Amino acid sequence: MAKRKRSYEEQSSDPAAQEMLIRADELGLTTAFSRADDMVPCNIGAAGMCCKICGMGPCRLTKDGQTGVCGATIDTIQARNLIRAIAAGAAAHSDHGRDMAFTLKAVANGEAEGYMIRDVAKLRNVASLYGIPIDKRSPSEIANDLADLYIAQFGQQKGSVAPIIRAPEKRKKLWEEQGVIPRGIDREVVEALHRTHIGDDQDPEHILHHAVRTSLSDGWGGSLIATDISDILFGTPAPIVGQANLGVLKDDMVNVVVHGHEPTLSEMIVAASQDPEIIEYAREAGAKGVNLSGICCTANEILMRQGIPAAGNFLHQELAILTGAVEAMVVDVQCIMQALVKLADNFHTQVITTSPKVKIKGAVHIQFDEHQALTVAKQILRTAIDNYKNRGKTHIPQVREDLVPGFSHEYLNYMLGGTYRASFRPLNDAIMSGRIRGVAAIVGCNNPRSTQDYLHTHVTQELLKQDVLVVETGCGAIASAKLGLLLGEAGLDQVGAGLRQVCETVGIPPVLHMGSCVDNSRILTVLTQMVEEGGLGDDIDQIPAVGLAPEWMSEKALSIGTYCMASGAYVIFGGSSPISGMPDRVADSDLVLRYISEGWEKLYGGKMEFIADVDEMIRRTLAHIDQKRADLGLPEYDPERFEVSGDGRMQELEQLPLAERRAALYGTPAD
Ligand code: XCC
Ligand code: SF4
């Protein structure tokens, strides 16, 4: 065996992952962790200094004053690279939103087997935002109109995409002045590609202006549409008990792991797995039943709505297969490693692709169709059950944690204000008084180039000590879940005293799991409602809040960061910067980097930065929050002001053993 370049602890901070990486070595198999160690990134490409958009190149710019064959300068090349990544990310989220809209249309017309409209109240609320009549109309009629409106947003050519009306007034005016309101979702993505074709837009600031517009078509367009419709069809999340990590796989059951992003298929697999006919089929095969779990954002979707456990985040996909206990890994779109298929060859696991958009050579393809969703879901489960007999030796790490996800903005609103007075007032008050210093959204991927989960959880833990309320989505949320940070009582003693008081009073964990990556749109809604509630300024850029993607890797993360910036947030990316340049070798190679920070801040009040050092990330987050507090004239944050809470009930609970404490707080935890 080749000498290890990093220790297991350097590759992942998750003990379950470390155990499986040892297993991979024993079996002589590679993973993204080991391949990252073996694959040195191209330093010119990594710095964003390579252009390959035409056949006269690729052009690598490594000297002062050098240009590409066409004359393109380094900043133009970097801006083009960045906008192309943002466009791809926006396209991925928005295409997901489009498919949700088609599903809603099919459900409204009785053409989608197995689905129903679960949240009629949300349907009515959302429809009335757009002036769709709701009085004396059936849910199907309303849903049909909403589906038509949403489908139209993708191909719309002029005007502004409809969900934009949900942003704060001042922000909308600013976007109008800047000319960045998206006209149609597809139009902005296509224009980004057009503008970056050889011989088109050459002015980096002008290119990046359109990057903002493109990203807004994601955050206030496709992603928001995806979240709305998921809630309408599958229910708006509310707190529920779940579990996370590879220990959720079971030795005596047929393990089916759903991996990817769209809830349309995974929700149907959940339904099918509870069908008596399927359970019986599994028993006949000698298993106790079907055990479903998720990876990546599909995991988040079914975790926060159905309490289905999460087997892990992005870097757990190969590790799940390495357990030898997975009968089928069912994938749809996004973040699916091609390596799965080759790895699965060493086990009995079947990788099943399901999307008409995604096929992998060597995988079984069972195409999903929302018109026959339940039938397809059952077919997939039968395939998995048939495979149970082929299972060999298994190795499941006995590591899992409980968590309580499901903090939609609707639920937060209700929880903070109660049924009769639903409002964000208590949250705003807590920030204004300084009990809560500010809010951080910690989101995004895993990246094998850093230590898995470490950046997410370290930043989270440090900010909690500093009384910063943390909201999370995506793979970041699963990282915290695995560490037990998404359970209120576990570790409240590690939380600042003021924040702790709020958590105890309201009964929330200090880290709120708000869903999948398209659900970052929920964070935009929360910020907007905080503005509307009053006391924290009249636009998002005045709120003491920061967005962080410490372990980002996907292009979607860049789109998310850009629309959050354009909405007024300070956004920090960890790890590497795709446009870092090499200012020590090429003096002008950091122009774009400076522009998306200082330049964008002047225009939008938000800024985007790439910061590799984790302590610097935390320092700048706190400095930004404190500056925003000062600008609002709020009292300076004082860690001593709210001494440790004497909440009697909490002290009683603390005397109980952990399992009983959890049961008292959250009801009986799932086994
Ligand atoms: Fe993918 Fe959404 Fe990133 Fe995780 S966080 S690696 S994008 S699954 Ni979205
Ligand atoms: Fe080179 Fe210009 Fe072609 Fe890019 S567009 S590859 S810089 S010639």
Side-chain angles (χ1 to χ4, degrees):
M1 197 187 309
K3 192 175 170 302
R4 294 187 61 78
K5 299 202 173 78
R6 288 187 297 171
S7 68
Y8 300 111
E9 290 75 18
E10 284 167 324
Q11 289 179 321
S12 176
S13 63
D14 175 350
Q18 292 163 8
E19 190 177 326
M20 293 320 293
L21 290 172
I22 294 171
R23 182 86 186 123
D25 276 354
E26 284 166 6
L27 297 171
L29 298 171
T30 72
T31 61
F33 296 86
S34 62
R35 291 190 299 272
D37 287 352
D38 292 340
M39 170 75 65
V40 180
C42 158
N43 62 337
I44 298 165
M49 298 166 70
C50 166
C51 180
K52 55 181 178 63
I53 67 173
C54 91
M56 297 187 283
C59 301
R60 301 160 14 126
L61 272 51
T62 55
K63 295 189 202 74
D64 267 335
Q66 198 183 13
T67 67
V69 174
C70 67
T73 52
I74 182 66
D75 44 353
T76 296
I77 288 173
Q78 287 182 327
R80 288 198 299 221
N81 288 338
L82 185 59
I83 192 179
R84 282 202 163 199
I86 290 168
H93 279 152
S94 297
D95 215 27
H96 167 172
R98 181 200 323 268
D99 284 341
M100 297 302 304
F102 282 134
T103 304
L104 182 66
K105 176 83 182 169
V107 175
N109 291 282
E111 293 163 0
E113 179 200 17
Y115 297 102
M116 57 187 271
I117 294 168
R118 282 238 162 79
D119 194 338
V120 176
K122 179 145 188 175
L123 169 68
R124 293 169 66 90
N125 281 341
V126 171
S128 52
L129 287 175
Y130 303 117
I132 294 173
I134 57 170
D135 277 346
K136 302 201 184 76
R137 298 186 79 205
S138 70
S140 301
E141 286 171 306
I142 302 169
N144 185 57
D145 285 359
L146 182 63
D148 284 342
L149 175 85
Y150 273 172
I151 290 167
Q153 301 314 305
F154 295 90
Q156 184 171 286
Q157 303 302 328
K158 287 186 183 153
S160 89
V161 294
I164 284 283
I165 55 167
R166 290 154 74 170
E169 283 310 316
K170 201 170 162 193
R171 190 61 24 186
K172 282 183 283 189
K173 274 211 194 74
L174 174 73
W175 288 337
E176 225 169 276
E177 282 160 25
Q178 294 296 334
V180 290
I181 293 191
R183 295 154 294 190
I185 297 168
D186 295 353
R187 177 165 186 186
E188 308 312 342
V189 173
V190 168
E191 187 171 317
L193 293 179
H194 175 192
R195 286 205 202 188
T196 52
H197 182 271
I198 162 77
D200 274 304
D201 204 358
Q202 324 279 353
D203 175 344
E205 291 181 13
H206 192 240
I207 292 169
L208 292 171
H209 172 265
H210 188 67
V212 170
R213 198 175 203 175
T214 307
S215 74
L216 288 173
S217 79
D218 171 359
W220 294 90
S223 279
L224 203 147
I225 289 173
T227 297
D228 274 355
I229 299 177
S230 302
D231 286 354
I232 289 167
L233 290 180
F234 307 120
T236 300
I240 185 167
V241 182
Q243 287 193 322
N245 219 337
L246 293 168
V248 305
L249 298 173
K250 298 215 166 98
D251 248 326
D252 51 3
M253 294 179 92
V254 175
N255 289 303
V256 176
V257 179
V258 289
H259 168 27
H261 280 77
E262 298 182 344
T264 32
L265 167 66
S266 51
E267 284 281 348
M268 219 30 79
I269 292 186
V270 175
S273 72
Q274 289 154 3
D275 189 304
E277 176 199 334
I278 290 291
I279 296 172
E280 188 45 39
Y281 194 66
R283 293 220 175 102
E284 280 163 20
K288 276 203 178 142
V290 176
N291 178 44
L292 208 60
S293 60
I295 290 208
C296 280
C297 279
T298 280
N300 287 319
E301 298 277 1
I302 51 175
L303 171 66
M304 66 180 169
R305 292 200 178 86
Q306 318 287 353
I308 301 295
N313 42 9
F314 177 66
L315 284 176
H316 268 39
Q317 55 187 290
E318 291 174 286
L319 308 183
I321 290 181
L322 276 160
T323 63
V326 177
E327 273 59 52
M329 184 170 278
V330 185
V331 304
D332 53 25
V333 294
Q334 301 166 22
C335 303
I336 300 146
M337 292 190 198
Q338 188 170 354
L340 292 180
V341 173
K342 200 166 156 235
L343 180 64
D345 282 347
N346 299 283
F347 303 89
H348 73 308
T349 307
Q350 280 194 347
V351 178
I352 303 178
T353 51
T354 58
S355 164
K357 294 167 201 163
V358 176
K359 286 195 179 184
I360 307 175
K361 266 215 165 27
V364 178
H365 189 74
I366 303 180
Q367 192 148 312
F368 176 70
D369 171 5
E370 74 261 29
H371 300 98
Q372 301 155 32
L374 198 57
T375 308
V376 177
K378 284 186 188 167
Q379 190 194 342
I380 288 171
L381 290 182
R382 280 203 199 89
T383 309
I385 294 166
D386 290 342
N387 194 22
Y388 183 66
K389 61 175 184 298
N390 300 322
R391 192 192 275 187
K393 194 172 170 313
T394 64
H395 181 120
I396 303 173
Q398 291 308 308
V399 182
R400 61 187 160 264
E401 256 303 337
D402 290 344
L403 74 146
V404 179
F407 293 91
S408 54
H409 52 266
E410 286 88 348
Y411 185 80
L412 282 177
N413 207 350
Y414 154 76
M415 173 198 74
L416 289 164
T419 321
Y420 298 106
R421 200 173 56 83
S423 110
F424 275 81
R425 192 70 254 156
L427 177 61
N428 283 24
D429 285 345
I431 294 174
M432 290 165 70
S433 69
R435 270 194 182 81
I436 293 179
R437 185 172 182 174
V439 181
I442 304 179
V443 308
C445 324
N446 276 153
N447 190 325
R449 300 229 173 260
S450 58
T451 305
Q452 182 192 16
D453 295 349
Y454 171 74
L455 295 176
H456 282 299
T457 54
H458 181 69
V459 172
T460 301
Q461 285 173 305
E462 289 307 307
L463 292 179
L464 292 179
K465 285 184 202 157
Q466 304 285 334
D467 292 291
V468 175
L469 176 70
V470 177
V471 301
E472 297 192 337
T473 60
C475 290
I478 301 178
S480 284
K482 288 190 285 175
L483 201 66
L485 296 174
L486 301 188
L487 267 181
E489 84 284 18
L492 264 188
D493 51 336
Q494 301 294 312
V495 169
L499 175 61
R500 179 176 174 170
Q501 279 184 5
V502 175
C503 292
E504 287 171 356
T505 311
V506 188
I508 49 168
V511 183
L512 303 176
H513 186 326
M514 294 193 74
S516 63
C517 295
V518 293
D519 292 336
N520 284 313
S521 60
R522 294 189 203 278
I523 298 176
L524 299 177
T525 305
V526 167
L527 293 169
T528 303
Q529 294 189 350
M530 287 169 74
V531 167
E532 283 163 0
E533 190 58 49
L536 295 174
D538 57 3
D539 196 356
I540 294 173
D541 62 341
Q542 296 170 47
I543 298 177
V546 177
L548 299 112
E551 299 178 26
W552 80 279
M553 64 88 202
S554 91
E555 292 167 314
K556 290 179 286 173
L558 296 172
S559 177
I560 294 167
T562 311
Y563 71 64
C564 288
M565 176 294 297
S567 303
Y570 176 22
V571 178
I572 298 175
F573 288 89
S576 64
S577 158
I579 47 164
S580 63
M582 298 176 193
D584 48 332
R585 273 169 66 179
V586 186
D588 272 357
S589 68
D590 61 351
L591 286 180
V592 167
L593 211 55
R594 277 187 275 141
Y595 182 70
I596 64 170
S597 171
E598 294 147 31
W600 272 351
E601 190 173 27
K602 281 195 201 98
L603 299 175
Y604 302 104
K607 58 183 168 175
M608 212 157 102
E609 285 174 359
F610 292 86
I611 302 168
D613 181 76
V614 63
D615 294 318
E616 182 63 10
M617 251 187 254
I618 295 165
R619 197 192 65 71
R620 288 204 212 175
T621 298
L622 294 172
H624 182 81
I625 284 173
D626 290 345
Q627 184 59 51
K628 292 293 167 185
R629 293 189 66 86
D631 294 347
L632 285 167
L634 300 178
E636 204 175 312
Y637 166 72
D638 171 7
E640 308 297 323
R641 189 152 159 243
F642 301 96
E643 63 198 39
V644 176
S645 163
D647 186 306
R649 171 76 177 140
M650 208 58 203
Q651 283 176 354
E652 262 172 50
L653 287 174
E654 271 168 10
Q655 306 307 315
L656 298 173
L658 191 63
E660 279 180 57
R661 209 189 306 163
R662 282 179 184 168
L665 278 164
Y666 302 111
T668 315
D671 183 352

